[in-house]
Amino acid sequence: SGLQMEPSGGEQEPGAVRLLDLPWEDVLLPHVLSRVPLRQLLHLQRVSKAFQALVLLHLARLRSFDSAQVGPQVPRAALGRLLSDSEGLQELCLESCRDWLSDEDLEPVLSRNPGLRRVGLAGCGRLSRRALVTLSLSCAQLRCLSLAHCDWVDGLALRGLADRCPCLEALDLTACRQLRDTAVAYLAQRRGAQLRSLSLAVNANVGDATVQELARCCPQLEHLDLTGCLRVRSDAIRTLAEYCPRLRSLRVRHCHDVAESSLSALRKRGVDIDVEPPLQRALVLLQDVVGFAPFVNLQI
């Protein structure tokens, strides 16, 4: 039998089933609309008032929303329409709204969705500390937060987050250049017990004091990104190796004062490290220059 989109108007073929005649709760919402990309849902809304009602009901029930699924640049009005009725979001990523997203745009969404567990705000440079206050007060179950390339994140903002987010497990602070050792150490002291993943990449003011505090306070730490943290040295990495038995990956590229001697214990444990041992690098260079490399047992 045929399947017709429009619920009204025109002749209907005998035996045809109109899409909107199917049960909304049992069929259309869980099994049809959940498979339609957000961008297409916006077009579907325009088909008829009945379709608009169906799409709005679906959007109100969303558990996960990523603005990138709508398009590379989402207009402010479109985001407002998409999230106006949502109250059950658990995941929210607004990185493709970075050019315009403000506290005024974000705060109502956070307040209406207290069950949020994962929030992505990377590159959203127009936000302020106020947005983090709303996030931490509204969303007590927050587990994962990306604030990468958010220059406005300062020590006070991070302290507020540490004080009010008891479930925080993963935090991306890449290129949050205002942060100092004292603020990250405070985060470690307050939330270190459950912290599993932390990126401090490209933060020139973060040094040994931070890494040593992370080592002492974060026994569950699995992933640590220190790329470009120029003040981190070998002694801090040795402390990390000693106190973080669950560490699975460590990023130390461009940390020029981190020597291989401090990384070798981690390598032996199978930790994924993004810089090759010096001997391995030398052999690769030799291969490039002369076209061959002697066999060397790298397991010695």
Side-chain angles (χ1 to χ4, degrees):
S1 64
L3 187 68
Q4 293 189 352
M5 288 281 286
E6 178 55 46
S8 60
E11 291 294 320
Q12 184 177 337
E13 295 176 19
V17 177
R18 290 177 299 196
L19 185 64
L20 292 176
D21 288 342
L22 296 171
W24 286 23
E25 297 282 343
D26 297 331
V27 178
L28 290 182
L29 289 169
H31 300 297
V32 179
L33 263 69
S34 62
R35 290 170 168 80
V36 179
L38 281 170
R39 197 182 308 195
Q40 271 68 52
L41 284 178
L42 288 177
H43 297 307
L44 195 61
Q45 266 189 306
R46 303 190 190 111
V47 172
S48 69
K49 287 186 177 179
F51 269 108
Q52 184 179 32
L54 178 65
V55 171
L56 287 174
L57 189 57
H58 168 70
L59 291 171
R61 294 171 169 217
L62 280 181
R63 292 290 173 266
S64 177
F65 180 86
D66 183 350
S67 59
Q69 293 177 5
V70 183
Q73 292 180 323
V74 182
R76 179 181 267 116
L79 184 76
R81 286 197 304 272
L82 285 167
L83 295 179
S84 59
D85 297 320
S86 64
E87 295 180 350
L89 286 175
Q90 294 180 1
E91 299 185 13
L92 176 66
C93 182
L94 297 177
E95 293 171 11
S96 66
C97 304
R98 64 174 67 90
D99 292 340
W100 54 265
L101 189 71
S102 68
D103 294 345
E104 290 75 16
D105 300 312
L106 180 60
E107 285 178 309
V109 179
L110 298 176
S111 299
R112 282 197 308 271
N113 291 275
L116 276 167
R117 297 180 181 191
R118 301 174 66 88
V119 175
L121 300 172
C124 294
R126 294 178 181 267
L127 297 174
S128 77
R129 191 189 303 144
R130 207 178 89 194
L132 279 194
V133 171
T134 303
L135 175 64
S136 57
L137 289 176
S138 303
C139 308
Q141 299 175 59
L142 185 69
R143 283 171 169 72
C144 180
L145 175 62
S146 175
L147 296 169
H149 302 280
C150 289
D151 289 336
W152 49 270
V153 176
D154 57 9
L156 206 56
L158 189 59
R159 282 171 177 266
L161 203 62
D163 283 336
R164 292 186 289 262
C165 293
C167 302
L168 199 61
E169 294 178 357
L171 183 59
D172 188 345
L173 298 170
T174 298
C176 294
R177 295 186 179 89
Q178 291 195 58
L179 295 177
R180 304 287 188 274
D181 282 329
T182 49
V184 187
Y186 185 81
L187 171 74
Q189 291 156 10
R190 292 286 284 150
R191 297 298 162 214
Q194 69 270 9
L195 202 62
R196 295 177 184 275
S197 177
L198 179 64
S199 175
L200 298 168
V202 208
N203 284 323
N205 296 308
V206 167
D208 289 349
T210 285
V211 178
Q212 286 168 342
E213 203 62 32
L214 289 170
R216 281 192 282 268
C217 301
C218 306
Q220 308 295 323
L221 194 63
E222 296 176 10
H223 307 283
L224 180 61
D225 191 342
L226 299 171
T227 304
C229 293
L230 303 178
R231 293 176 55 230
V232 173
R233 294 173 296 186
S234 296
D235 283 349
I237 300 299
R238 288 192 187 93
T239 308
L240 194 71
E242 185 177 350
Y243 288 96
C244 294
R246 293 175 178 249
L247 198 66
R248 288 164 49 196
S249 74
L250 177 65
R251 300 287 171 260
V252 286
R253 194 177 296 277
H254 307 304
C255 296
H256 304 302
D257 289 330
V258 172
E260 176 59 26
S261 58
S262 66
L263 297 172
S264 56
L266 291 167
R267 289 193 201 278
K268 287 173 184 172
R269 274 170 31 196
V271 176
D272 177 40
I273 298 173
D274 64 338
V275 293
E276 293 175 328
L279 181 57
Q280 180 74 51
R281 288 202 298 274
L283 290 175
V284 170
L285 288 171
L286 187 62
Q287 175 88 43
D288 290 343
V289 172
V290 300
F292 76 96
F295 172 76
V296 177
N297 185 356
L298 295 173
Q299 303 307 313
I300 295 173

